[in-house]
Amino acid sequence: QAFFCLLLCVPWGSSCPPSCQCTERAGAKAVLCSSRHLEEIPKDIPKDAVFLKLDANSITRIPSNAFRHLSHLEELDLSRNAIEKIDRAAFKGVAAGLRTLDLSSNRIRSIPKEALLALNAKLRLANNPWHCECALQEVLWEARLDPDSVQDITCHTAPREEYVGKPLLQVLDAGVNFCSVRQRTTDVAMFITMFGWFTMVIVYVICYVRHNREDTCKHVDYLKSLPSAQGHAE
């Protein structure tokens, strides 16, 4: 019986990443990789992991399908890393079951809304050097943000200097709409492009008319210089 019990305990530990500690919390598998100087997400995380802590490391990027094989994952902690880039399909495969996603205290300036809007998880995005723009505004409106940390989503940079250093929620409550600003910018760009094409067409028509007029004048002058039919008869 003692040998049988030992066999039950070994498999979970043997499949644990060497830089992590694997244990159980309330009957669910937990993988603890906090403060392990990791620069990327381990590729050998057990498939039945429910809790995954990767906080306080040096991870800089979350690539596509990074957690796709972790179909049982419910809580993911990526806080206090150096994350700058998150791919659009970074959380593909875990969107349905993930309940908590912590991305706070990283170096994230922008994030594809597709990476987060498919999630049902409660998001923590505080303490990042956010560039306040339309994509971030859409995330704030549509994603499930942790209410305790939403005030700490601050504009590190923004289209206008007066928004810098202010909580994004406060800026939006004041009536600012970054998406409408982008739309106006797009409209102006389209107007300038259309005006440019229209100007080119007008210039071409004018040049064409002038060229034809000069050719016509030359042709008339040539005809006038020819001897008349009467002169030939004499």
Side-chain angles (χ1 to χ4, degrees):
Q1 290 180 347
F3 179 75
F4 181 75
C5 180
L6 180 62
L7 289 177
L8 291 178
C9 297
V10 168
W12 172 242
S14 62
S15 62
C16 188
S19 57
C20 304
Q21 177 185 359
C22 298
T23 183
E24 288 196 12
R25 293 167 50 186
K29 303 296 176 62
V31 182
L32 311 178
C33 309
S34 306
S35 304
R36 299 301 175 99
H37 306 289
L38 298 174
E39 296 182 357
E40 60 182 16
I41 298 167
K43 301 184 183 304
D44 50 355
I45 298 172
K47 295 182 179 181
D48 53 351
V50 177
F51 306 100
L52 176 58
K53 288 183 67 64
L54 291 164
D55 55 303
N57 283 292
S58 301
I59 299 170
T60 59
R61 180 191 172 200
I62 307 177
S64 296
N65 302 311
F67 309 100
R68 189 171 187 175
H69 66 291
L70 305 178
S71 58
H72 300 281
L73 195 61
E74 295 183 4
E75 295 186 14
L76 175 58
D77 188 354
L78 287 160
S79 63
R80 296 184 295 151
N81 273 279
I83 298 170
E84 296 181 354
K85 180 176 177 55
I86 299 177
D87 291 356
R88 294 178 182 273
F91 304 106
K92 187 174 182 180
V94 297
L98 203 61
R99 295 185 304 170
T100 302
L101 173 59
D102 194 341
L103 292 169
S104 60
S105 300
N106 278 283
R107 300 176 184 173
I108 307 170
R109 285 177 45 81
S110 63
I111 187 170
K113 63 179 182 180
E114 296 84 358
L116 297 182
L117 296 183
L119 295 173
N120 294 319
K122 184 184 293 185
L123 299 174
R124 298 190 181 99
L125 303 176
N127 301 318
N128 280 286
W130 292 107
H131 174 64
C132 289
E133 57 180 348
C134 182
L136 182 59
Q137 175 179 314
E138 290 177 340
V139 169
L140 192 66
W141 281 349
E142 300 184 35
R144 292 183 58 221
L145 296 177
D146 183 355
D148 295 331
S149 64
V150 68
Q151 286 292 343
D152 293 322
I153 302 176
T154 304
C155 297
H156 184 74
T157 57
R160 296 177 61 174
E161 189 67 25
E162 61 189 276
Y163 306 144
V164 175
K166 294 183 178 180
L168 177 58
L169 190 62
Q170 177 183 334
V171 174
L172 298 179
D173 285 343
V176 177
N177 189 334
F178 292 106
C179 295
S180 65
V181 170
R182 185 179 69 175
Q183 183 62 43
R184 286 198 299 270
T185 303
T186 303
D187 292 344
V188 170
M190 291 181 62
F191 175 78
I192 293 175
T193 302
M194 292 177 65
F195 180 78
W197 279 105
F198 182 74
T199 302
M200 291 177 60
V201 171
I202 294 299
V203 171
Y204 174 80
V205 171
I206 292 175
C207 292
Y208 180 79
V209 170
R210 286 181 177 177
H211 180 73
N212 283 351
R213 182 180 295 175
E214 291 176 359
D215 288 346
T216 302
C217 291
K218 290 179 181 179
H219 185 66
V220 171
D221 292 340
Y222 172 75
L223 292 177
K224 288 181 178 181
S225 66
L226 294 176
S228 62
Q230 183 178 357
H232 283 294
E234 291 176 355

